[in-house]
Amino acid sequence: MSISRFNAIDTILNRQDGEFAFFDTPAELVSEYFGVNVFNDEAMQQFLSEDDYLSVKAAIQSGAKLSREVADLVANAMKAWAIDHGASHYAHWFQPWTGKTAEKHDSFFTLDSQGKAIEEFGGNELAQQEPDGSSFPGGGLRSTFEARGYTAWDPSSPAFIFEVGEGKTLCIPTILVTYSGEAMDFKLPLLKSQTALENAALPIIQWFDQQATQVIVTLGWEQEYFLVDEALFNARPDLVLTGRTLIGKLATKGQQLEDHYFGSIPERVFAFMRDLEIECHKLGIPVRTRHNEVGPAQYELAPMFEEVNVAVDHNQLLMDLMDRIARRHHLRVLMHEKPFAGVNGSGKHNNWSVATNTGKNLLSPGKHPGKNLRFLTFFVNTIKAVHEHADLLRASVASASNDHRLGANEAPPAIVSVFIGSVMTSIFRQIEKGETTKEDVKVVLDLLSKIPDLELDNTDRNRTSPFAFTGNKFEVRMVGSQQNCSGPMTVLNTIMAAQLQAFKVEVDQLTQKGQDRDAAILTVLKGYIKSSKAILFEGDNYSDAWEKEAEKRKLGNEKTTPEALAAYVSKKSIKLFETVGVFAEKEVKAFHEVQLHKYSTTLEIESTTLEELCLNYVLPASMDYQTRLASNMVQMKEIGLDGKHVEFASSAVKRIAKNINAIYHLIEDMSEARREANKEHDSLKTALVYCHSVKPLMDKIREHADDLELIVDDREWSLVKYREMMYIR
Ligand code: ADP
Ligand code: MG
């Protein structure tokens, strides 16, 4: 029997109080258990001799390839620590292009040559594993000669113990590559982009600060999500299979009253959040804020920012944790960017900055903005980089699910622009007007020093902007809620690295000609301010006027994924990725291929699911009601009442018939369009047919189905309604 709306609601109403219990905290203070499940510095010190600890630490910090000896030392310590914590297995944990995390578990237990049972885990097992590469999307990278894939240890992100029920597994963050070393995951390109940015930024930073020897890219994400009751979730096949509702009439109460945002958190949700936070803290994920979001049943969670690679791992881990922990509370997390049409969608803001090992945030004007030409340098270069490669940044957030969100008057549009706030705007105007002599540098710095408080100026920032300066960091607001942050972070690091390389060349040329360096810097920055003006926008990004204005400014506005993704494989981007050393041409083409394929597959699943929903739920319910209305009309006629006495029944019957017919024909057209799409041999062509033929038909079907939901007897409608998913807690 399928689960209908009615038994789902019964299940909820009959739940016992005990099922919503709060879980125990491991200790009173978070500081007492933060990171207990992480093989962190403390654990290393405890499980390595002092000498070994120091040599391992130095080797890891150098960033160079680790020797077998060091790997053995770490592996031994890790094994002892993990077994001490009750772990029985270890797994290489990685992030293939599917977007989800993957892991392959192996037991520590093995038999030695004499057949004796032992626990084993050495440098080899730590450093490399060989999962079956053919189960992960590689965009044709391997098919020709080698099917195997390899995972290799990433020592820059700490290993951790993942607990599932009683089972504990030591998870080792790794990259996934082909036999010949090409990337097949999100982590390797991210690490390469980080290195590239570090190398490009360091010589420039050293103009200002000789002490700085390392550059740290920082990321603080904010994760939005929805929660629905598990009984309701299970009664919606579309949520189960596609993560979003493919049909469903908007509830009569939506977010108009704005009473949910920052409202008090429902008790049951609070229990989930607390439980989640405890698990996060044990895993060293520094989550700090939680609150309701704009949509009913929508929430947000944010940690303190961390080094980008670790922050990405933590976000991936968090998404996994959320799903598991929600189930303990009879809830389901919806990570999809748009689970409910007509209600605010979910994003994942990526707050990005660059810092030095001397503790300076390069995007913060600091306490002495009057001395801070460094801030202006990194600030202007970021804007210039975004202006040069806006299309690539847009491509990095493209997905079938994020298409529902971008440009839907709730999330930034598909047009990339940069918001910098009124103070920086006026400083830019003055720089543009002024000269660039040594004295003018002083004038500009003087302007900066008069900044009342940049952070204050930008806290009330423009929430419609896709890329906003927020006082001491840039916030990328286009990222989708279920996306791996690596995609956009890799692009941002890459374009910034390329930009800084170009900047250094330009400044060096001027100083070689004898110009004072500060004046040379100002000269180049002034040029950038002028040439990247088109990307700056302070107004309402949701307005139609902006769309027109952006067109005049020749800014890109790719609204759909297949078109947006093309930016990855343009000549310009391939050259960029190769020069900076993030992707070889072959790799970026494979990545592009995988993304297109993912797009088409998503739409194929959605479209076939929609077809089933119509055939198995919408049409039968509507026809039953139609029959009742028709027999009512017949009976009314028998007692001599027809015509104006049966106006409602007669109009409703007609309305139902019209919708049923329309759905029938649209479903036929939609299967034909799918066949057309799948006939294409080129992934781009397939994706385009899905995008421009299949998807519009899905939208039309939905209109008719939603109209039926409105008129059909509530008792006949077996699919859970929006109002129930959003308001039953
Ligand atoms: P919002 O108002 O957008 O909700 P919050 O202040 O709640 O913003 O969140 C800001 C996010 O920015 C947090 O995750 C925080 O850790 C992060 N953040 C703050 N400073 C930096 C920085 N220098 N680099 C990266 N992220 C940062
Ligand atoms: Mg934000």
Side-chain angles (χ1 to χ4, degrees):
M1 190 194 71
S2 70
I3 313 165
S4 83
R5 194 177 146 216
F6 308 104
N7 41 44
I9 293 171
D10 277 348
T11 307
I12 299 174
L13 297 179
N14 292 327
R15 278 215 191 95
Q16 305 299 313
D17 277 357
E19 295 185 53
F20 302 114
F22 277 76
F23 287 76
D24 287 341
T25 43
E28 211 154 300
L29 297 173
V30 176
S31 54
E32 291 172 54
Y33 59 91
F34 186 79
V36 287
N37 283 345
V38 184
F39 187 66
N40 51 21
D41 212 53
E42 225 179 296
M44 274 213 277
Q45 284 191 46
Q46 200 190 331
F47 285 85
L48 283 168
S49 72
E50 199 179 328
D51 282 355
D52 288 347
Y53 165 76
L54 290 174
S55 69
V56 165
K57 187 102 183 145
I60 291 178
Q61 268 174 353
S62 78
K65 198 170 177 322
L66 297 179
S67 67
R68 177 62 206 276
E69 220 174 23
V70 170
D72 273 336
L73 283 176
V74 178
N76 266 328
M78 242 185 219
K79 182 182 83 178
W81 171 79
I83 290 175
D84 195 54
H85 279 68
S88 57
H89 287 64
Y90 67 93
H92 276 199
W93 181 81
F94 53 101
Q95 302 168 30
W97 287 340
T98 52
K100 301 267 185 298
T101 52
E103 55 209 64
K104 180 184 173 226
H105 293 207
D106 278 299
S107 175
F108 287 127
F109 150 79
T110 189
L111 298 176
D112 70 5
S113 52
Q114 265 82 54
K116 186 169 167 278
I118 52 165
E119 262 75 35
E120 192 181 65
F121 178 69
N124 268 346
E125 287 78 11
L126 168 65
Q128 191 174 309
Q129 240 188 358
E130 205 182 298
D132 178 10
S134 55
S135 4
F136 301 105
L141 266 181
R142 298 165 319 236
S143 52
T144 40
F145 56 101
E146 172 60 73
R148 275 180 292 176
Y150 291 90
T151 50
W153 176 37
D154 165 22
S156 63
S157 183
F160 54 89
I161 289 173
F162 201 76
E163 297 174 285
V164 178
E166 294 297 302
K168 294 183 179 177
T169 306
L170 168 69
C171 292
I172 300 147
T174 54
I175 55 168
L176 173 70
V177 291
T178 63
Y179 177 71
S180 40
E182 287 116 353
M184 275 169 54
D185 74 339
F186 281 104
K187 195 190 254 286
L188 181 58
L190 177 72
L191 292 173
K192 286 182 173 175
S193 74
Q194 222 178 328
T195 307
L197 177 48
E198 172 160 9
N199 291 339
L202 206 52
I204 297 171
I205 295 168
Q206 285 172 347
W207 288 343
F208 306 103
D209 176 4
Q210 260 93 45
Q211 310 297 310
T213 52
Q214 267 180 336
V215 176
I216 300 136
V217 184
T218 53
L219 164 64
W221 40 260
E222 300 162 60
Q223 177 74 53
E224 292 178 335
Y225 61 97
F226 281 85
L227 283 176
V228 297
D229 188 279
E230 78 178 353
L232 301 175
F233 174 87
N234 285 326
R236 288 286 314 210
D238 45 359
L239 277 186
V240 173
L241 296 172
T242 73
R244 74 177 181 105
T245 52
L246 300 170
I247 53 177
K249 193 183 73 63
L250 203 59
T252 47
K253 178 184 169 197
Q255 56 202 49
Q256 314 92 314
L257 297 174
E258 295 179 349
D259 53 352
H260 182 65
Y261 194 44
F262 283 119
S264 67
I265 298 171
E267 198 158 314
R268 188 176 164 201
V269 172
F270 186 70
F272 157 78
M273 288 177 168
R274 232 183 61 161
D275 199 12
L276 174 64
E277 281 166 0
I278 292 168
E279 295 303 326
C280 282
H281 290 151
K282 280 157 69 182
L283 282 163
I285 309 174
V287 292
R288 278 195 75 199
T289 44
R290 54 177 177 218
H291 58 79
N292 291 355
E293 259 302 326
V294 183
Q298 193 186 22
Y299 307 92
E300 183 185 294
L301 175 80
M304 286 178 66
F305 68 91
E306 298 175 280
E307 185 269 331
V308 64
N309 176 33
V310 176
V312 168
D313 284 359
H314 280 167
N315 183 249
Q316 291 296 116
L317 198 50
L318 171 96
M319 292 196 282
D320 196 353
L321 274 178
M322 285 173 89
D323 186 60
R324 291 171 195 268
I325 289 164
R327 288 166 196 249
R328 294 186 195 164
H329 297 263
H330 301 288
L331 291 165
R332 284 305 152 91
V333 172
L334 307 182
M335 277 294 174
H336 195 282
E337 281 77 2
K338 195 78 175 178
F340 305 107
V343 176
N344 212 53
S346 299
K348 174 147 58 199
H349 297 174
N350 282 13
N351 295 274
W352 172 91
S353 190
V354 188
T356 64
N357 60 327
T358 49
K360 301 265 165 24
N361 175 356
L362 301 173
L363 287 171
S364 166
K367 287 199 188 74
H368 308 287
K371 294 205 179 85
N372 211 340
L373 192 57
R374 186 194 61 209
F375 160 69
L376 199 66
T377 297
F378 282 87
F379 182 73
V380 175
N381 271 290
T382 310
I383 295 166
K384 175 76 174 164
V386 174
H387 179 250
E388 289 299 306
H389 298 284
D391 59 340
L392 201 49
L393 209 50
R394 163 68 183 99
S396 75
V397 296
S399 71
S401 47
N402 212 14
D403 277 1
H404 295 284
R405 181 177 157 260
L406 296 180
N409 271 355
E410 44 148 297
I415 309 162
V416 175
S417 66
V418 182
F419 167 85
I420 60 172
S422 58
V423 173
M424 287 313 296
T425 301
S426 77
I427 289 179
F428 272 20
R429 277 201 203 110
Q430 312 238 24
I431 296 177
E432 252 191 287
K433 276 191 296 192
E435 296 299 321
T436 55
T437 63
K438 211 171 159 180
E439 283 64 46
D440 295 301
V441 176
K442 286 205 191 72
V443 175
V444 167
L445 290 179
D446 205 42
L447 283 173
L448 271 171
S449 74
K450 296 211 175 75
I451 294 177
D453 188 343
L454 256 188
E455 297 202 26
L456 263 183
D457 177 54
N458 286 14
T459 37
D460 192 27
R461 64 187 173 274
N462 189 335
R463 293 208 167 254
T464 68
S465 173
F467 196 95
F469 179 61
T470 52
N472 57 2
K473 60 193 181 290
F474 279 98
E475 178 172 355
V476 193
R477 301 180 65 250
M478 313 160 78
V479 187
S481 49
Q482 56 183 341
Q483 245 188 310
N484 187 317
C485 302
S486 284
M489 291 296 96
T490 300
V491 165
L492 193 50
N493 294 343
T494 302
I495 64 178
M496 187 63 171
Q499 178 50 46
L500 291 173
Q501 284 170 1
F503 172 73
K504 180 162 186 300
V505 171
E506 287 184 63
V507 172
D508 284 347
Q509 274 166 359
L510 292 178
T511 51
Q512 271 151 26
K513 282 186 201 144
Q515 196 172 3
D516 164 81
R517 184 152 62 217
D518 284 358
I521 291 173
L522 187 60
T523 308
V524 178
L525 293 182
K526 181 176 166 179
Y528 288 171
I529 290 172
K530 281 189 176 161
S531 62
S532 50
K533 235 176 171 171
I535 201 84
L536 297 181
F537 183 61
E538 300 287 302
D540 179 2
N541 287 255
Y542 298 170
S543 69
D544 295 335
W546 169 232
E547 203 166 341
K548 291 201 192 87
E549 166 68 19
E551 201 183 328
K552 267 194 226 146
R553 296 192 193 180
K554 300 202 169 36
L555 297 179
N557 186 8
E558 295 298 357
K559 291 189 177 162
T560 61
T561 293
E563 277 99 354
L565 283 175
Y568 267 110
V569 287
S570 70
K571 272 205 183 104
K572 185 177 165 192
S573 301
I574 290 176
K575 188 165 165 237
L576 166 82
F577 283 125
E578 289 198 322
T579 320
V580 174
V582 168
F583 275 127
E585 176 167 358
K586 212 162 126 189
E587 291 170 303
V588 70
K589 284 189 166 160
F591 178 72
H592 178 243
E593 183 74 21
V594 170
Q595 296 306 313
L596 282 175
H597 182 71
K598 194 171 154 194
Y599 177 83
S600 299
T601 312
T602 304
L603 276 156
E604 181 173 25
I605 295 170
E606 286 188 350
S607 144
T608 46
T609 306
L610 175 61
E611 186 172 328
E612 278 189 20
L613 281 185
C614 287
L615 296 177
N616 303 345
Y617 289 83
V618 176
L619 298 185
S622 305
M623 282 156 68
D624 281 353
Y625 184 49
Q626 192 183 34
T627 307
R628 270 171 54 206
L629 289 167
S631 69
N632 168 274
M633 286 171 70
V634 172
Q635 286 168 24
M636 291 289 278
K637 196 171 178 181
E638 275 170 15
I639 57 168
L641 295 171
D642 59 0
K644 69 179 184 10
H645 297 291
V646 291
E647 277 180 64
F648 168 71
S650 126
S651 90
V653 160
K654 281 185 210 145
R655 188 161 157 191
I656 292 172
K658 217 171 108 191
N659 282 316
I660 289 177
N661 251 328
I663 289 178
Y664 165 67
H665 287 292
L666 288 164
I667 284 180
E668 295 279 289
D669 296 349
M670 187 168 71
S671 3
E672 180 52 31
R674 273 200 314 263
R675 269 194 295 278
E676 288 295 316
N678 296 341
K679 256 193 341 224
E680 298 286 356
H681 290 294
D682 171 281
S683 345
L684 175 60
K685 283 190 187 144
T686 302
L688 287 171
V689 179
Y690 270 110
C691 181
H692 298 295
S693 301
V694 176
K695 201 170 160 230
L697 289 166
M698 290 178 65
D699 294 340
K700 278 194 196 142
I701 292 173
R702 181 182 190 134
E703 276 173 35
H704 293 287
D706 291 354
D707 194 46
L708 286 169
E709 184 182 327
L710 175 66
I711 43 179
V712 168
D713 181 352
D714 191 62
R715 290 169 300 178
E716 306 267 12
W717 200 261
S718 57
L719 265 186
V720 172
K721 295 189 168 183
Y722 268 32
R723 62 167 186 257
E724 290 141 2
M725 287 184 277
M726 265 164 225
Y727 294 105
I728 297 185
R729 298 215 170 99

